[in-house]
Amino acid sequence: MSDTDWTLAARAHEPAFGDYIELLKPRVMRLVVFTAFVGMVCAPVAVHPVIGLASILCIAVGAGAAGALNMWQDWDIDAVMRRTAARPIPSGRVERGEALAIGLTLAAFAVVMLALFANPFAAGLLAFTIFFYAVVYSIWLKRATPQNIVIGGAAGAFPPMIGWAVATGGIAPESVLMFLLIFVWTPPHFWALALFRNDDYRRAGVPMLPVTAGDRVTRNHILAYSLVLAPIAIAPAFTTIGGPVYLAGAIVLDALLLIGAVRLWRRDPDAASRDRFLAEKRFFGLSIVYLFLLFALLLAEAALGAAGLTPAGWPALV
């Protein structure tokens, strides 16, 4: 479909407010907001509730801006993938130019307002995150290399660092660990999706790992990254943001993740095809719950610490 053809199709539809909301990728935004909030709450410096709420709203708007810019760039890919064909741009409900204007406007607004509400360092991190997702990942990496989701995963890993920077004006080993947790989690999470959406990516010409290296290599990578992820998930327990509650939960979650990764590694592609990739879909869903619960445990530790219930003498190595 050419730009001209798409424009003619777009004029046949009147966009609704919900179409513009969908352009901002609200499901992705929820995870961004939650992890940024956890990063801010876990920081050792208290944030005034008004400043904290305003900062989280700015981060949410920035995430939405990045989503709109991603949809502007990926409209041609989205149009040929079953999973994304109904998105606002390829379905003709929103024009590409509108998406670009909305993305750029919201990005500028979010960065400027975060600098005013919080501090320039947090705003700079937000600006870099939007740039990384919209330009480095969407325009370059996604179409150029099977390592797209490995390197590009950094965009989704910055929010807790931004939240921490809102409170402290800088970074610390704890915020870097939260970044690493999401960064290393992202590849196995998306490769599980790519296994059962392989035909979509192949048709769209996106060089995801199952397309370029095959099913078996992808399963090996999922297991390898899960093995690397497990100790990273444990590490925050021995910092100022961790504690026994987090440690116990992380051990259980790591065990479930590794069991799922081993099951995928042992799976025969023909068996996976016969049951419509049931195990792969379950692992994909488990990975979402895994990350959410790890950050929820960090939030619980922050609440326990605020209540003075953290055990005295807990070995915080960092």
Side-chain angles (χ1 to χ4, degrees):
M1 181 184 288
S2 68
D3 279 340
T4 302
D5 293 335
W6 180 89
T7 302
L8 292 174
R11 289 172 180 167
H13 300 80
E14 280 295 325
F17 180 72
D19 296 326
Y20 294 114
I21 296 298
E22 187 180 347
L23 197 68
L24 308 183
K25 294 191 173 182
R27 285 188 296 179
V28 175
M29 188 190 297
R30 287 199 296 267
L31 183 61
V32 168
V33 168
F34 179 61
T35 57
F37 176 74
V38 173
M40 184 175 66
V41 171
C42 288
V45 179
V47 179
H48 190 282
V50 174
I51 294 176
L53 177 60
S55 297
I56 290 298
L57 288 175
C58 289
I59 294 169
V61 171
L69 293 172
N70 172 262
M71 286 202 187
W72 165 76
Q73 169 63 21
D74 282 357
W75 73 277
D76 55 336
I77 291 175
D78 289 345
V80 298
M81 295 179 65
R82 286 191 298 271
R83 182 172 65 91
T84 56
R87 283 178 172 175
I89 297 176
S91 64
R93 304 195 308 275
V94 175
E95 295 186 17
R96 283 192 74 205
E98 288 182 285
L100 178 61
I102 289 170
L104 292 175
T105 301
L106 291 181
F109 173 82
V111 171
V112 171
M113 295 307 294
L114 187 60
L116 295 175
F117 280 118
N119 57 75
F121 184 79
L125 268 181
L126 178 61
F128 180 74
T129 301
I130 296 170
F131 171 81
F132 196 92
Y133 185 66
V135 177
V136 177
Y137 172 69
S138 299
I139 294 179
W140 175 38
L141 292 172
K142 185 171 184 177
R143 300 168 188 252
T145 171
Q147 295 300 307
N148 48 19
I149 205 62
V150 177
I151 307 168
F158 279 116
M161 293 187 74
I162 300 172
W164 185 281
V166 165
T168 68
I171 61 175
E174 292 89 345
S175 67
V176 172
L177 275 176
M178 287 188 280
F179 169 90
L180 287 175
L181 180 57
I182 302 175
F183 182 70
V184 180
W185 165 86
T186 301
H189 167 71
F190 275 101
W191 284 331
L193 171 69
L195 283 173
F196 61 85
R197 294 292 187 182
N198 189 29
D199 290 342
D200 258 1
Y201 287 113
R202 188 182 304 278
R203 184 166 52 251
V206 178
M208 291 294 283
L209 193 62
V211 175
T212 61
D215 184 281
R216 173 44 50 198
V217 171
T218 303
R219 293 176 189 277
N220 292 345
H221 276 63
I222 290 174
L223 178 58
Y225 271 80
S226 297
L227 290 170
V228 174
L229 176 60
I232 293 175
I234 296 292
F238 302 102
T239 70
T240 60
I241 63 174
V245 172
Y246 177 85
L247 178 60
I251 290 172
V252 172
L253 290 169
D254 271 352
L256 292 174
L257 184 81
L258 291 174
I259 289 170
V262 169
R263 284 176 178 166
L264 290 197
W265 178 67
R266 296 176 62 184
R267 288 265 280 175
D268 178 79
D270 293 333
S273 181
R274 283 195 298 271
D275 67 12
R276 297 185 179 181
F277 298 93
L278 181 60
E280 290 74 13
K281 292 174 182 177
R282 286 177 175 171
F283 183 86
F284 177 75
L286 170 65
S287 67
I288 297 174
V289 175
Y290 171 89
L291 187 68
F292 172 80
L293 289 181
L294 283 175
F295 276 85
L297 288 167
L298 289 174
L299 198 58
E301 288 287 1
L304 290 171
L309 298 176
T310 301
W314 181 255
L317 304 179
V318 176

